[in-house]
Amino acid sequence: NLDLNNIQGDILSGLPKKTETYLFFQISDAKKFRTDLRNFIPLVKTVAGTLKDRDDISKHKQGTVGGKPPLIPMAGVNIAFSHFGLKALNINDANLVDTAFLGGQKLDAGANLGDKGTGSGPSFVPDWEEPFKKDIHGVFLVAGDSHDTVNKKIGEIKQIFGVGGHTPSLTEVTTIVGDARPGDQSAHEHFGYLDGVSNPQIIGFDKNPPPGPAPVRAGAIILGKDGDANKDKREPWMVEGSFLVFRYLFQKVPEFDDFVFRNRLKGPGMTDQQGADLLGARLVGRWKSGAPIDLTPFKDDPELGRDPQRNNNFHFTAEQNFQKLCPFASHIRKTLPRADLESLGISIEKNRIMRRGVQFGPEVTKAERAAKKTSQGRGLLFACYQSSITDGFQFIQRSWVNNATFPFAETTPEVPGLDPLISASTLTDRKLSGIDPNNPSTELKLEDQWVVPRGGEYFFTPSIKGLKEKIAA
Ligand code: N7H
């Protein structure tokens, strides 16, 4: 019972994004903004539209003989609003129940996410890029095959809202461009690991879910459906919307590589590079190829890594209370503990998030690699959708990632420690156990923070009906 013509496309099908621009804005003239928004709505790509685009892309690929087919010009546009934006439009969003959303990410950044900053409580100012310290009202997401197509689309959007003319209804706060990495790294994030392998499969939407974590009810991601804890409180305009978390995450790649090499694992017959690759895989929980270490703990298996029928089919079940195969604190075990909780009868459905990020910044240069020091900004425009930020992104970051005793500190001799990639730098004594498969209690001290948050906001991505009947009404 999902209306695929009503739900914005990025949420369930992911706008195809070789490149994606995020244009953050403030509403400067609420009345005119509403009128302009009516003209903008036809540009919004729905799930149905995105599925059609994906179908066209695959037909196009199949129809080309030899070589790589050129991409077909294609752009997808979505829009989302922060709590501040809805307030600027005089929309009472009190029933858009989600403490994190209603407070905004700046308020969350210190106490709940652990970002660096100054001050405390409501006067906390995160150590972010300047534009993100302002109240952002909304964001346009424009994804596509090339900068040309995306920029053209952005030109159309600006024209609709009068930007650059005499009567603009919004002002641009900042624009960030994300790009998939080149060549065979296009599906890999900047540390080199295959990304986008594991996302929740939605019952009733994903027709043939590959083996892996249990599919979730649509309400885990989409408001007003079974599985949304606040289903009964949702007003019609909220139904089939979703909360979007955006985080501007910089990655220090040469520093990470240097740490992994210096702390490489050692064993009979293992080369230095193999030892470094094994340590990296144990920090992430997957090899760079995507192969999960729960299935192939000591040797990469690229064929497994690229096989969707197998690369997510693991649950840490052989590992209850143990971390020989995969450290408790490895990134993918921390952020999705699978049977670690499910075997105790604890459902993790409400904690699932649909990740839709894209990389930004150039490849690491020779000079950076030689200096083992980052001098150009690069990282991940992290984005994820959920029906509750409080149970989704915020909970994962606060209660799992930043919590050294999760999971199993009570029942194992080893304290798991912190997620080595994304735990907060403000935490003291940053370390994790389980890194050496033969000595799980040995702890590895984390010297640095390789993922640095430099901005973000919480948004609501409304349905088409929500846009027409409430926000633009
Ligand atoms: Fe993470 N990385 O490259 O190491 N992530 N992540 N993430 N992440 C995942 O399964 C990465 C971040 C999740 O289902 C993979 O698609 C990096 C945040 C979740 O088993 C890799 C950054 C949050 C999963 C990375 C980053 C999460 C996941 C494996 C920041 C939420 C699915 C590939 C720059 C708070 C877990 C895959 C599952 C997987 C990386 C950020 C959450 C390789 C570099 C902020 C839920």
Side-chain angles (χ1 to χ4, degrees):
N1 60 343
L2 293 171
D3 179 354
L4 303 186
N5 287 303
N6 192 35
I7 302 171
Q8 294 201 45
D10 203 33
I11 304 170
L12 290 184
S13 25
L15 299 171
K17 44 188 83 160
K18 192 163 163 32
T19 178
E20 180 176 29
T21 293
Y22 281 77
L23 192 160
F24 298 91
F25 63 84
Q26 278 180 344
I27 297 162
S28 49
D29 177 341
K31 192 160 175 270
K32 180 165 183 294
F33 180 86
R34 283 201 149 93
T35 314
D36 294 343
L37 187 61
R38 273 173 240 151
N39 297 325
F40 164 83
I41 292 170
L43 256 56
V44 175
K45 189 82 71 175
T46 61
V47 174
T50 311
L51 291 174
K52 187 179 172 307
D53 283 358
R54 288 197 171 277
D55 199 41
D56 287 350
I57 292 171
S58 81
K59 280 191 192 131
H60 178 76
K61 277 186 185 159
Q62 284 159 15
T64 310
V65 187
K68 247 191 156 185
L71 292 160
I72 24 179
M74 194 174 270
V77 178
N78 276 190
I79 185 170
F81 297 87
S82 73
H83 170 60
F84 305 108
L86 295 176
K87 266 201 345 213
L89 292 169
N90 237 337
I91 289 171
N92 177 0
D93 59 3
N95 282 345
L96 207 47
V97 182
D98 190 288
T99 326
F101 171 77
L102 294 174
Q105 198 178 112
K106 275 198 297 281
L107 196 66
D108 228 21
N112 287 323
L113 306 180
D115 288 10
K116 280 187 182 154
T118 49
S120 61
S123 59
F124 177 80
V125 181
D127 185 9
W128 285 355
E129 311 262 307
E130 287 306 317
F132 289 100
K133 295 182 187 169
K134 298 185 185 162
D135 285 349
I136 288 168
H137 291 171
V139 58
F140 298 106
L141 287 71
V142 187
D145 64 291
S146 70
H147 289 168
D148 264 6
T149 332
V150 166
N151 290 340
K152 237 182 167 159
K153 205 42 108 180
I154 290 174
E156 269 176 61
I157 295 171
K158 285 187 173 168
Q159 201 167 17
I160 291 174
F161 290 92
V163 178
H166 296 301
T167 53
S169 61
L170 60 81
T171 54
E172 192 175 330
V173 178
T174 189
T175 291
I176 303 181
V177 178
D179 287 296
R181 294 183 55 208
D184 64 357
Q185 293 297 298
S186 65
H188 295 240
E189 54 68 59
H190 275 290
F191 292 141
Y193 296 87
L194 184 65
D195 205 355
V197 184
S198 173
N199 258 328
Q201 298 287 317
I202 306 289
I203 297 166
F205 175 71
D206 290 299
K207 299 290 178 258
N208 294 304
V216 301
R217 290 172 294 167
I221 308 297
I222 305 280
L223 272 68
K225 303 285 163 181
D226 283 346
D228 169 11
N230 290 300
K231 182 181 168 205
D232 297 339
K233 296 199 184 110
R234 305 303 187 195
E235 295 169 27
W237 71 273
M238 302 170 185
V239 171
E240 299 200 320
S242 183
F243 290 111
L244 162 67
V245 171
F246 172 79
R247 294 274 279 167
Y248 194 14
L249 300 176
F250 283 68
Q251 288 174 255
K252 293 180 174 179
V253 180
E255 289 88 340
F256 175 79
D257 285 348
D258 177 46
F259 175 87
V260 168
F261 191 78
R262 277 189 286 111
N263 290 282
R264 64 193 174 274
L265 289 160
K266 299 195 167 99
M270 203 190 283
T271 65
D272 286 351
Q273 193 53 50
Q274 284 167 341
D277 289 347
L278 178 58
L279 176 65
R282 290 186 75 79
L283 298 178
V284 174
R286 290 185 186 270
W287 298 89
K288 286 186 174 170
S289 70
I293 60 171
D294 193 45
L295 298 180
T296 178
F298 304 117
K299 205 173 151 289
D300 192 4
D301 180 348
E303 214 171 294
L304 167 61
R306 75 176 81 93
D307 181 354
Q309 289 304 312
R310 294 190 293 147
N311 64 12
N312 213 14
N313 191 14
F314 64 95
H315 305 272
F316 311 118
T317 19
E319 279 259 89
Q320 288 303 292
N321 286 312
F322 295 105
Q323 49 177 346
K324 189 178 174 71
L325 300 178
C326 182
F328 295 133
S330 72
H331 179 62
I332 67 158
R333 196 164 180 180
K334 272 282 192 191
T335 55
L336 189 71
R338 304 187 184 214
D340 288 345
L341 291 184
E342 285 167 336
S343 67
L344 305 174
I346 302 169
S347 166
I348 50 174
E349 186 186 56
K350 67 175 189 300
N351 310 117
R352 302 295 306 276
I353 54 176
M354 193 67 90
R355 291 174 301 126
R356 297 292 185 215
V358 67
Q359 276 60 51
F360 72 92
E363 292 296 288
V364 174
T365 61
K366 271 191 189 145
E368 288 177 292
R369 210 167 276 297
K372 298 174 184 161
K373 196 165 163 29
T374 298
S375 51
Q376 302 198 36
R378 64 176 64 75
L380 175 65
L381 304 181
F382 177 86
C384 71
Y385 294 93
Q386 58 252 278
S387 63
S388 162
I389 297 172
T390 312
D391 286 336
F393 167 77
Q394 189 212 51
F395 189 86
I396 295 173
Q397 183 75 44
R398 180 170 57 90
S399 305
W400 292 348
V401 164
N402 288 351
N403 175 4
T405 60
F406 178 83
F408 295 140
E410 293 82 23
T411 48
T412 62
E414 305 120 34
V415 176
L418 300 173
D419 181 318
L421 296 185
I422 58 163
S423 56
S425 65
T426 45
L427 296 164
T428 50
D429 200 17
R430 300 182 69 241
K431 60 189 181 189
L432 73 159
S433 65
I435 281 309
D436 181 346
N438 296 318
N439 299 296
S441 59
T442 305
E443 291 179 323
L444 178 68
K445 248 186 124 42
L446 300 165
E447 292 167 3
D448 199 353
Q449 192 188 24
W450 304 291
V451 174
V452 184
R454 297 285 296 150
E457 188 47 285
Y458 296 146
F459 297 97
F460 176 63
T461 300
S463 67
I464 303 298
K465 272 191 205 138
L467 283 171
K468 281 187 186 158
E469 292 169 16
K470 185 75 176 182
I471 300 179

